[in-house]
Amino acid sequence: QFRGRGTWPSPSWYHMFMKLFLSSVSIAKKNQTEFLKLVGLQKGKARVALIENGADPYPLDRREWVNRARQLIEEVAGRVEVIDLRNYVAITDLEADLSEFDVIWIGGGNVYYLRWIMRSSGFDQIIRKLCDTGIVYGGDSAGAIIAGPTINHFQPADTPEEAPELILDGLGLTDIVIVPHSDHERYAPSMTGIKVALDEARYLTIA
């Protein structure tokens, strides 16, 4: 059996109606129509909470991709507000703020640091509840990977040491592990090896 299956109710059954939009690079122009269809709103109407904490470990002069990804989201959404998980102590405050949005979008960066800050802020305790209300979970790169059952085996493409605590389980919003950037000239070789490792560990994958 594949991991993430075989229990009742299984994660895939229980969250059957969750709306997930997972990609390698933000919301590409060619995918805008599908994104809006999933959200159920016209262009310029969606309220998006944008979490960019995956970029926290990166130097400021190496974050140009963060701005590019944000611009792609701003092209299709109406209101985009950056939510910094480092600013939250009370989980109730975080849940209240995120519940005001149509989409919670998780950007890329260091997937191990991102997973740690999701736990330290309590985000991982409330995201399923928020998604069950109809809020769309969107994520690109690390934000897409982390939606699955595990973030293990991505060590060749990232730096686990950036995380104060190493957490290898994903959010479990889907049984499938997204392997992004598989067609990217720079990242394809490492992502190919990661997919092989995940397949050998009997995870369902999409690359």
Side-chain angles (χ1 to χ4, degrees), residues 61-178:
D61 61 355
R62 290 183 54 204
R63 297 189 189 184
E64 65 283 348
W65 49 273
V66 176
N67 294 328
R68 290 199 301 267
R70 187 189 307 154
Q71 288 168 2
L72 288 171
I73 295 173
E74 290 172 341
E75 284 184 15
V76 68
R79 167 191 165 199
V80 178
E81 182 175 334
V82 176
I83 300 292
D84 191 338
L85 296 181
R86 293 173 296 184
N87 295 336
Y88 288 89
V89 176
I91 189 173
T92 52
D93 292 340
L94 179 59
E95 182 176 359
D97 286 353
L98 291 177
S99 66
E100 297 296 320
F101 294 89
D102 305 301
V103 180
I104 299 170
W105 191 278
I106 313 297
N110 188 304
V111 71
Y112 297 102
Y113 173 88
L114 181 60
R115 183 64 184 90
W116 167 77
I117 201 168
M118 284 181 169
R119 173 167 292 182
S120 64
S121 65
F123 177 89
D124 61 355
Q125 299 179 47
I126 60 174
I127 185 58
R128 290 185 181 184
K129 178 180 177 182
L130 290 166
C131 288
D132 283 341
T133 69
I135 294 174
V136 174
Y137 176 100
D140 63 277
S141 193
I145 296 167
I146 213 166
T150 185
I151 60 173
N152 197 14
H153 304 293
F154 283 90
Q155 290 88 338
D158 230 327
T159 311
E161 294 78 15
E162 297 285 1
E165 177 187 358
L166 183 60
I167 304 165
L168 294 179
D169 61 301
L171 296 176
L173 304 181
T174 173
D175 290 338
I176 299 170
V177 183
I178 303 298

